[in-house]
Amino acid sequence: MGVLRYVAKRLGLYLAVLFIGLTITFMLPRLMPTNPVDGYIGQLQSRANGTLTSEAIAEMRTNLEQLYGLNGDIFTQYVGYLKRVVLQFDFGPSFTYYPQPVSAMILNALPWTLGLLLTATFIAWVLGNMVGLVAGYFHKKRAASVLEFLGILLYPIPYYILAVTVLLLLAYIFPIFPLSPTFPVGQMTPEKIGMIFYNSLLPGITLVLAGFGWNILSMKALAVATTEEPYVTYARLKGASNWTRMTRYVFRNALLPQVTALALSLGMVFNGALLTEMIFSYPGIGLIMRTAATGGDYNVLYGAITLSIIAVATAGLVIDLIYPLLDPRIRHK
Amino acid sequence: MIRLNDLKISYRIGSRVIDAVDGVSLTIPEGCIVGIAGESGSGKSTLMKAIYGDIQAPMYISRGSIDYGFKGSDGKPVTTANIRDEWFKTISYVPQSSMNSLNPVIRIGKQFTDFPGTDRDKKRVLERATAFLGKLGLPAEVMTSYPHQLSGGMRQRVMIGLATFFQPGLIIADEPTTALDVVVQKEILMLLMELQEEMNNTILVVSHDMGVHYQVTHKMLIMYAGKVVEYGDTESVFADPQHAYTKMLIDSLPTIGDDSMRGVMASAAGAGGDRAFGVGTGLVEVKPNHFVSLANETAGVPA
């Protein structure tokens, strides 16, 4: 009963966030003083050395406006936009790769990005939390500070430096991994999957290393604070073993904020995708976004931004739905 | 019977050594409730920690010893070295902060089974614990509840249930009712007394509240500056306090209808907040079962 209402409330909130996000994405570019159709026609005109007649331009304008949903007043455009995006996940064709539809481009790239970044983020989270927990629980022991040092060492390195260093080290100096990876397309066979896995290892390692440090430091701080809680002291005085106290007392309680952090970082994978995919020429959303940004491909950008909004909002929904399972205090509200 | 032999407990902080308990010798007989009173920093908690056997750096026993005079669950005599194995078997502990001494994300039932004192058959332990908590006036649902679903009084009952479930010979209660309102406090104290009568074990109760001591304890131990200044049967101590510090503690109990202190306290505190009491070495038996540390008659004189 209460569960249903809780879920319904969260779902409602989720849909509201999506709606607001889509609306802002729609509104923002329209507040700009430039008109994409004018820009596009201007480009064509200059390429054609001004030989286009005004009739041709007028016809092209109607066609383009039709194509990109820019005809009618702003309200008609808005309704049309919502209809296309929500019902058909249709962002129109790409400017650069006309007439390829944006949704197809995004859907092709999505499994690549999600496969690499979700896995890497999750592994970094699990490893970082385990190391951080041990470092925090045994923070009075000198050996544990070595673990913390690992976090302090890794955390401040900017990702691009880390990635380029790893690339140099493991692909150039010690050529264990390919310097310019190749990612096969088309029908998947076991060999192709193995090749993809092998080629993805290097970007994966850099992502794990980059996320690892933050997770260690964060979990360590949480675990140190939790070991001082009266219930942990009491568990010690009850004679509960170090293992029980570390896992069931410190970890279970320190985990709660970390779950939020995980969900948020999973929602933010598209930000991380950009640099990783550029450095390792990995065929995901990041690479598409970069091409779109430099080429002024509005529709692709629309699609990518919408996807980010959906990702972050979905991550928020997932936290909201998982959290009560971990924290009984929220479950019984 | 627990005997403390010239016990001195110190803390080593850097190169400094602080003696928190300084030469305590006394005998606690079996089957009685002993109240321990004294101001903050007088060494009560350190003494309790040492008796419970929770001795870890920077705290250490710098002189003397504790004789426990009872056997552990494996039949061997309990000593400071092996007492940790007896935690929640023959000796248990009721913590000060009952409000947050239970793990907030684990059900109460599980907190009855997650330490080595329980036997392997968790189901049997849970059944027995449910029945036992029932005796303490807690419904069976408590076992499947989380701490936040219980009131403060219920949580403290759970803590007392945890401490008494194994029928330990010695229970140490560190300010067990501090966070509770007076009505619940009385219920908890009555419960503790009932259980003690039933099991006939020894309970050490630390409290700042002289009223609690008067109601509950059989014997009183007054600590001041790391030393025991007075130790004796509660009635005797309250009826005829020997040491100036004990007198002051007992006089600090407010009485309803007595307004002689109105307006006095503030000025008194302003004038001589820094009191010092003389403490001699060793206890002298001034009456049967009533010991006092005879001061060198500097009692009550400001330092």
Side-chain angles (χ1 to χ4, degrees), chain B:
Chain B
M1 191 176 77
I2 296 167
R3 188 182 297 136
L4 311 178
N5 308 316
D6 192 20
L7 190 65
K8 183 171 173 179
I9 305 158
S10 314
Y11 290 90
R12 186 177 288 121
I13 293 156
S15 55
R16 277 175 64 209
V17 170
I18 295 158
D19 302 326
V21 171
D22 193 359
V24 170
S25 300
L26 52 90
T27 303
I28 298 166
E30 243 161 77
C32 69
I33 302 182
V34 179
I36 294 145
E39 60 198 37
S40 302
S42 61
K44 339 184 268 299
S45 291
T46 304
L47 186 64
M48 289 306 101
K49 269 190 190 171
I51 294 176
Y52 191 63
D54 180 27
I55 300 163
Q56 55 177 12
M59 176 182 155
Y60 65 103
I61 294 182
S62 48
R63 198 178 67 212
S65 64
I66 305 167
D67 293 339
Y68 286 97
F70 57 86
K71 288 191 164 60
S73 49
D74 52 0
K76 286 185 196 147
V78 174
T79 62
T80 300
N82 68 11
I83 192 163
R84 276 168 187 256
D85 302 332
E86 296 305 320
W87 285 355
F88 281 73
K89 287 177 190 162
T90 56
I91 175 168
S92 68
Y93 172 78
V94 181
Q96 187 170 10
S97 46
S98 64
M99 299 309 282
N100 26 19
S101 285
L102 290 165
N103 188 342
V105 297
I106 288 183
R107 292 178 204 276
I108 302 292
K110 229 174 180 176
Q111 307 199 31
F112 264 89
T113 58
D114 62 359
F115 47 97
T118 54
D119 71 47
R120 296 233 167 257
D121 187 349
K122 303 286 182 209
K123 224 177 131 192
R124 197 169 60 208
V125 176
L126 283 180
E127 274 168 21
R128 282 183 43 221
T130 311
F132 187 74
L133 285 188
K135 265 178 41 191
L136 306 192
L138 290 169
E141 296 88 68
V142 164
M143 291 296 274
T144 53
S145 303
Y146 290 95
H148 72 274
Q149 294 170 296
L150 308 180
S151 71
M154 287 169 98
R155 276 187 238 183
Q156 191 58 294
R157 269 167 204 269
V158 169
M159 301 313 291
I160 287 181
L162 270 163
T164 49
F165 179 50
F166 307 96
Q167 314 276 323
L170 175 65
I171 299 173
I172 289 172
D174 190 0
E175 302 188 36
T177 56
T178 310
L180 303 173
D181 69 70
V182 279
V183 178
V184 180
Q185 174 172 331
K186 190 170 178 198
E187 282 172 20
I188 295 289
L189 292 172
M190 300 293 278
L191 177 68
L192 207 59
M193 286 166 76
E194 263 172 50
L195 287 168
Q196 193 271 337
E197 255 169 53
E198 209 173 286
M199 298 188 287
N200 197 35
N201 50 14
T202 307
I203 302 183
L204 306 183
V205 184
V206 177
S207 179
H208 286 290
D209 190 335
M210 294 304 278
V212 166
H213 285 303
Y214 186 71
Q215 279 188 315
V216 175
T217 63
H218 303 135
K219 278 177 158 309
M220 275 301 295
L221 181 66
I222 313 287
M223 289 196 72
Y224 178 74
K227 292 195 164 75
V228 171
V229 293
E230 194 154 353
Y231 177 52
D233 293 341
T234 303
E235 270 176 44
S236 177
V237 170
F238 271 89
D240 185 17
Q242 297 292 318
H243 197 277
Y245 182 65
T246 315
K247 281 183 197 141
M248 194 213 70
L249 277 185
I250 293 171
D251 285 345
S252 69
L253 255 184
T255 322
I256 293 175
D258 172 21
D259 59 359
S260 63
M261 295 300 271
R262 272 179 202 269
V264 179
M265 287 308 267
S267 55
D274 198 12
R275 305 169 309 270
F277 294 92
V279 185
T281 46
L283 293 173
V284 180
E285 189 163 15
V286 286
K287 288 184 190 183
N289 285 327
H290 191 161
F291 302 84
V292 70
S293 159
L294 284 181
N296 310 326
E297 283 325 306
T298 49
V301 177

Side-chain angles (χ1 to χ4, degrees), chain A:
Chain A
M1 191 32 231
V3 177
L4 270 182
R5 252 183 60 194
Y6 179 85
V7 173
K9 219 168 131 188
R10 296 296 130 176
L11 268 176
L13 208 63
Y14 171 67
L15 293 176
V17 168
L18 281 187
F19 176 74
I20 293 168
L22 288 178
T23 305
I24 292 175
T25 329
F26 171 82
M27 288 311 240
L28 272 184
R30 281 168 176 77
L31 295 177
M32 292 199 301
T34 55
N35 180 326
V37 173
D38 284 344
Y40 193 58
I41 289 174
Q43 270 181 35
L44 283 182
Q45 182 73 291
S46 68
R47 259 186 242 170
N49 290 323
T51 54
L52 293 175
T53 60
S54 52
E55 293 92 68
I57 288 175
E59 195 183 334
M60 194 154 26
R61 182 183 296 276
T62 347
N63 283 340
L64 283 172
E65 282 180 348
Q66 184 83 32
L67 193 56
Y68 299 131
L70 293 174
N71 44 1
D73 60 31
I74 199 149
F75 186 71
T76 328
Q77 286 184 27
Y78 179 58
V79 173
Y81 163 82
L82 280 185
K83 243 193 221 157
R84 279 186 294 124
V85 171
V86 176
L87 297 181
Q88 296 145 21
F89 198 67
D90 176 14
F91 300 95
S94 156
F95 286 77
T96 319
Y97 300 101
Y98 186 83
Q100 207 183 3
V102 169
S103 50
M105 284 171 69
I106 286 179
L107 288 179
N108 276 335
L110 197 59
W112 290 93
T113 298
L114 291 186
L116 176 67
L117 279 113
L118 290 189
T119 319
T121 309
F122 191 70
I123 291 175
W125 186 80
V126 170
L127 287 181
N129 277 312
M130 277 160 50
V131 173
L133 175 67
V134 174
Y137 184 77
F138 294 105
H139 66 278
K140 284 179 186 152
K141 299 238 160 71
R142 194 155 300 165
S145 55
V146 175
L147 296 176
E148 194 196 357
F149 180 71
L150 196 65
I152 295 174
L153 191 74
L154 284 173
Y155 173 58
I157 307 177
Y159 177 72
Y160 51 92
I161 292 182
L162 185 80
V164 171
T165 313
V166 171
L167 189 68
L168 270 176
L169 208 65
L170 294 181
Y172 184 70
I173 301 177
F174 306 104
I176 305 167
F177 295 104
L179 196 52
S180 58
T182 43
F183 293 97
V185 286
Q187 192 66 43
M188 285 295 140
T189 59
E191 295 98 86
K192 277 191 186 172
I193 290 174
M195 196 168 153
I196 291 172
F197 181 75
Y198 171 66
N199 282 294
S200 309
L201 265 180
L202 201 55
I205 288 171
T206 62
L207 283 168
V208 169
L209 283 178
F212 193 42
W214 185 85
N215 281 307
I216 293 178
L217 294 183
S218 161
M219 187 58 172
K220 192 245 163 187
L222 287 165
V224 168
T226 312
T227 50
E228 307 292 330
E229 291 284 342
Y231 51 80
V232 180
T233 309
Y234 180 64
R236 184 173 66 75
L237 295 175
K238 271 199 314 193
S241 65
N242 261 325
W243 176 254
T244 306
R245 268 144 56 204
M246 186 166 84
T247 53
R248 229 186 258 175
Y249 284 72
V250 176
F251 181 66
R252 274 298 312 277
N253 283 285
L255 183 67
L256 301 171
Q258 287 295 86
V259 171
T260 310
L262 171 70
L264 287 179
S265 57
L266 287 181
M268 300 297 242
V269 289
F270 296 113
N271 298 7
L274 192 63
L275 268 177
T276 316
E277 293 177 3
M278 275 165 64
I279 293 171
F280 295 95
S281 37
Y282 187 88
I285 302 270
L287 217 55
I288 290 184
M289 271 164 80
R290 183 190 169 226
T291 326
T294 46
D297 199 338
Y298 293 108
N299 281 353
V300 172
L301 281 178
Y302 260 149
I305 291 169
T306 308
L307 201 66
S308 306
I309 292 173
I310 294 175
V312 175
T314 309
L317 178 70
V318 171
I319 309 176
D320 279 345
L321 295 183
I322 284 182
Y323 220 81
L325 299 178
L326 297 170
D327 192 345
R329 285 165 293 191
I330 292 180
R331 200 182 317 161
H332 294 110
K333 246 195 188 147

